[in-house]
Amino acid sequence: MKYIIKSGFGIALVVLLMLVSCDPNEFDKSDLEFSSAPTAEEMSFTMTQGDDVYHYNLENETQLSGINTIKWNFGNGGTGEGNSVTAYFPLPGTYEVSLTITAADGSFGVKTLTVEQTETDYAFLDSPVLTMISGGVSLLEGKTWVVDSLETAHYGLGPVGGNWTEWWAATPLQKTGGGAYDDEFTFKLVDFVFDYANNGTSYVLAFRLDDPNYSNPVPVDGDADSRVEFTPTVANWALNERDGVNYISLSSDKPSFFGIDFGAVNNEYRIESVTEYNMTLSCIGGDGNRWYTTLVLKGYVKPTVTYSVSVEAGTGPNAYVVSLADVVIPAGNSVSGYTVDFGDGSVVMEEGDYTASIEHTYMRKGAYNVKVVVMSSAGDFTASQIVDIAEHHPDYVEFILDEMVMYNDFSEIELAPVLGENCAVNIVDNPDAIYPNRSSKVAFYSKENNEWANANLKLSAGFRFDLRLQSAFKLKVYGKAGDAVLLKLENTDRGGNAWQTGVELTYTIQADDTWEVVEYDFAGVGAGFDWTGDIFTGDVTTDDNFNHDFYNIIRIMLNPGVGTGVHEFYFDELAGPHVEGIKSGRLN
């Protein structure tokens, strides 16, 4: 220990800094007694021993009026602002402390004094954060970190006052080819050396390209950012603490950063989280935003929770029980539970006790991919298994009839989009994802003070509904008992007279906030108006003028003809007769 202190820390340039500072000394410009900053000869400040031998109280005694800012540099990587500040020097060394006073006209004066520190604060050397970053006094070669490129949000962007990547988060390996992923960052406690090895190239944001240290830029990631040729130089690092938050400061003759040059203000990075193996940092970039970087210890292999999934028949028709078996949890880690997605569109179920089981009943026959996610302190781990359901549940009511296809289920299938005319139609989470509608997403219709506002699905040009073999349309609705849901077919080729071609049926919702399956069967239903002369029939399914090559739009209305107030409901799984030339609405 003593040898390390003498040979290494005796020349340490940067150290942990704890500040207690006043607000900047700012005055109204009209109070100025002179237009420029004082000279070094006119400036003075005192340095007195603080609460212990490691702390110094710095006090500006310069006589001023109208000065904008008073700033300090402690010669150890730390800074302060205000008339009174406290600096912390835990390691031996000679430090030049400078006071900078800037006037309203932009001029400034600098006064410098030297502080000699001969003592060592061994509590600082035992700092858990310091040890996690550098390995501490027991690891003289330091610890080497790399960008955690396989994790989501290893780089990210957010507002300057935020603390997470709310604007953008890099997907795994998104910045491949940019020159960041092969970079290595070594933190050493001896002399607080920061060794940045970039293998000849670095990733630089567009607004940093004018730095003369960079050459031969090559655009990357489809934007103005570039991979540049660059040779870093030896740097130093400091661990600073302010208001209970730790910061890393880098200092060198050339840029030093963590894989991507964000132009970090004051070369300072806030520590968002740090463990023995992982570290997330953020900085205020040169563009005024907050940029994030997640590092992982070089060579670190992430602990893996292993397990097998058991899917067994339960009690009752189509009931299956999922449980975990052969669970192995690495030492020092824990499992907080698991989730099961049964693959049939039902709500994902969660169990906090990984030794407990989860049971589910399938309503429809088919092959389902059961996805299990185990949640642990080491991350989430996923496994899946196929379950074959041979028969429908006895309570299941077939929804898709013969010769019927799904037009839009708002989750996976879209023959054509459903749009709103004089109303809002938004895709939202299912308000009650239970049988008979376990879809994750549904449509939400809302109209206000409009009689004929409608949600509509219009076929592409040339396509028409064929009512000859199948005359029924189906819809699932969820709303208030007594509300009327109208489904109408029209031919938009008639422009403003399209309404004259319409055939329509209305369903009255039976119960509040309950999914109901509605069938609109147009067999025997007439359309048009006889007074128009040419657009009229008593049965749209038997009249060749109407039953194919005619209707091209479906309109859905809630309480049609009611033009006051707000009217809302959910609907889903719009299906009906096949469309000539289109076999299915499933997207490939």
Side-chain angles (χ1 to χ4, degrees):
M1 178 78 70
K2 292 182 179 178
Y3 174 78
I4 297 172
I5 296 300
K6 289 177 66 178
S7 63
F9 298 117
I11 58 172
L13 298 180
V14 285
V15 295
L16 179 76
L17 166 68
M18 296 182 64
L19 304 179
V20 179
S21 63
C22 301
D23 292 333
N25 184 20
E26 298 186 359
F27 301 93
D28 188 276
K29 195 170 183 179
S30 62
D31 292 334
L32 287 174
E33 293 181 356
F34 42 83
S35 60
S36 60
T39 64
E41 290 74 18
E42 296 170 327
M43 296 170 56
S44 65
F45 66 90
T46 60
M47 300 175 58
T48 58
Q49 196 73 58
D51 293 338
D52 52 46
V53 296
Y54 313 113
H55 291 83
Y56 285 80
N57 297 324
L58 309 179
E59 184 77 25
N60 173 40
E61 294 187 339
T62 309
Q63 297 300 311
L64 300 171
S65 176
I67 299 302
N68 284 8
T69 58
I70 299 174
K71 294 186 177 181
W72 305 82
N73 186 306
F74 303 114
N76 58 10
T79 60
E81 191 166 345
N83 276 310
S84 301
V85 297
T86 299
Y88 172 44
F89 299 95
L91 300 174
T94 301
Y95 305 96
E96 288 192 352
V97 178
S98 62
L99 168 65
T100 301
I101 298 177
T102 304
D105 65 352
S107 62
F108 61 91
V110 180
K111 180 76 171 182
T112 301
L113 292 179
T114 300
V115 58
E116 182 88 17
Q117 174 62 284
T118 60
E119 303 293 333
T120 300
D121 187 352
Y122 291 99
F124 165 66
L125 301 181
D126 291 332
S127 161
V129 175
L130 194 71
T131 301
M132 285 187 288
I133 294 172
S134 67
V137 295
S138 63
L139 197 63
L140 300 184
E141 67 273 22
K143 288 176 67 173
T144 300
W145 301 77
V146 295
V147 177
D148 197 0
S149 59
L150 297 181
E151 289 294 319
T152 297
H154 57 277
Y155 284 120
L157 176 66
V160 65
N163 56 14
W164 62 288
T165 57
E166 59 184 284
W167 290 348
W168 168 76
T171 56
L173 297 176
Q174 180 176 337
K175 296 299 184 179
T176 298
Y181 292 157
D182 62 351
D183 293 357
E184 297 181 1
F185 321 99
T186 301
F187 292 87
K188 298 180 181 180
L189 195 57
V190 176
D191 293 337
F192 281 83
V193 169
F194 176 75
D195 186 7
Y196 169 33
N198 73 342
N199 293 291
T201 61
S202 289
Y203 191 119
V204 177
L205 296 189
F207 62 84
R208 291 286 297 138
L209 280 173
D210 58 356
D211 190 297
N213 289 288
Y214 303 140
S215 62
N216 301 321
V218 177
V220 295
D221 202 26
D223 53 30
D225 301 338
S226 296
R227 183 181 69 253
V228 298
E229 294 181 6
F230 170 53
T231 303
T233 189
V234 176
N236 293 104
W237 66 285
L239 180 63
N240 309 318
E241 183 182 338
R242 296 196 301 274
D243 300 324
V245 178
N246 289 303
Y247 298 82
I248 291 175
S249 298
L250 303 178
S251 59
S252 65
D253 295 333
K254 292 184 179 181
S256 289
F257 46 89
F258 299 99
I260 296 181
D261 185 357
F262 301 124
V265 174
N266 296 326
N267 295 317
E268 185 177 71
Y269 295 81
R270 187 174 73 190
I271 300 178
E272 303 294 336
S273 63
V274 60
T275 69
E276 185 178 355
Y277 304 107
N278 301 94
M279 179 163 52
T280 297
L281 308 171
S282 76
C283 70
I284 300 175
D287 58 354
N289 298 310
R290 183 167 290 280
W291 291 88
Y292 296 81
T293 304
T294 295
L295 306 178
V296 63
L297 186 66
K298 180 183 178 181
Y300 174 66
V301 178
K302 185 177 181 180
T304 302
V305 175
T306 60
Y307 61 95
S308 59
V309 176
S310 172
V311 183
E312 303 290 341
T315 57
N318 292 356
Y320 280 81
V321 177
V322 172
S323 60
L324 304 182
D326 306 319
V327 179
V328 177
I329 304 173
N333 289 273
S334 61
V335 171
S336 58
Y338 69 104
T339 64
V340 180
D341 182 345
F342 286 92
D344 60 350
S346 59
V347 174
V348 176
M349 301 180 70
E350 182 173 346
E351 173 58 60
D353 179 2
Y354 74 89
T355 65
S357 59
I358 297 177
E359 185 170 0
H360 176 68
T361 298
Y362 288 96
M363 301 305 296
R364 292 177 288 182
K365 65 181 180 181
Y368 299 97
N369 183 34
V370 178
K371 179 181 176 182
V372 176
V373 178
V374 173
M375 301 166 292
S376 79
S377 58
D380 294 344
F381 300 91
T382 303
S384 60
Q385 185 173 325
I386 300 297
V387 174
D388 288 310
I389 307 299
E391 301 293 338
H392 291 317
H393 190 278
D395 296 335
Y396 177 70
V397 177
E398 187 79 34
F399 177 66
I400 301 295
L401 305 178
D402 292 341
E403 305 299 333
M404 182 177 281
V405 297
M406 181 68 67
Y407 300 148
N408 199 319
D409 69 357
F410 307 104
S411 296
E412 298 176 347
I413 298 172
E414 183 182 274
L415 175 69
V418 174
L419 306 176
E421 182 176 309
N422 299 319
C423 66
V425 177
N426 297 309
I427 299 175
V428 300
D429 291 335
N430 189 337
D432 193 16
I434 61 174
Y435 182 79
N437 187 17
R438 287 175 169 156
S439 296
S440 60
K441 298 293 183 180
V442 299
F444 179 64
Y445 168 110
S446 177
K447 78 170 185 178
E448 183 175 3
N449 301 331
N450 193 294
E451 290 183 272
W452 311 110
N454 63 91
N456 58 80
L457 180 148
K458 183 179 180 181
L459 298 178
S460 300
F463 294 105
R464 296 292 188 270
F465 298 107
D466 193 325
L467 308 180
R468 291 174 292 185
L469 298 178
Q470 173 58 256
S471 59
F473 292 74
K474 277 203 168 185
L475 188 67
K476 293 178 180 178
V477 301
Y478 179 101
K480 299 302 180 183
D483 281 356
V485 181
L486 176 145
L487 188 144
K488 181 179 184 180
L489 305 179
E490 287 183 356
N491 181 342
T492 63
D493 294 343
R494 303 299 178 109
N497 293 325
W499 62 275
Q500 296 179 0
T501 69
V503 57
E504 62 189 50
L505 290 170
T506 299
Y507 172 79
T508 301
I509 296 177
Q510 301 299 299
D512 285 345
D513 303 330
T514 302
W515 281 111
E516 300 173 12
V517 179
V518 186
E519 179 178 325
Y520 299 89
D521 192 342
F522 289 101
V525 179
F529 301 91
D530 54 1
W531 51 264
T532 63
D534 67 332
I535 307 176
F536 174 75
T537 183
D539 187 342
V540 294
T541 64
T542 59
D543 190 323
D544 286 344
N545 292 315
F546 290 83
N547 60 21
H548 70 291
D549 294 332
F550 188 70
Y551 289 122
N552 68 330
I553 192 170
I554 300 171
R555 299 190 187 277
I556 299 169
M557 306 181 194
L558 180 64
N559 297 328
V562 179
T564 57
V566 176
H567 303 262
E568 299 174 334
F569 82 117
Y570 299 88
F571 66 93
D572 194 17
E573 297 194 15
L574 174 59
H578 83 276
V579 177
E580 187 64 34
I582 300 179
K583 294 182 179 180
S584 173
R586 184 171 299 278
L587 295 176
N588 296 322

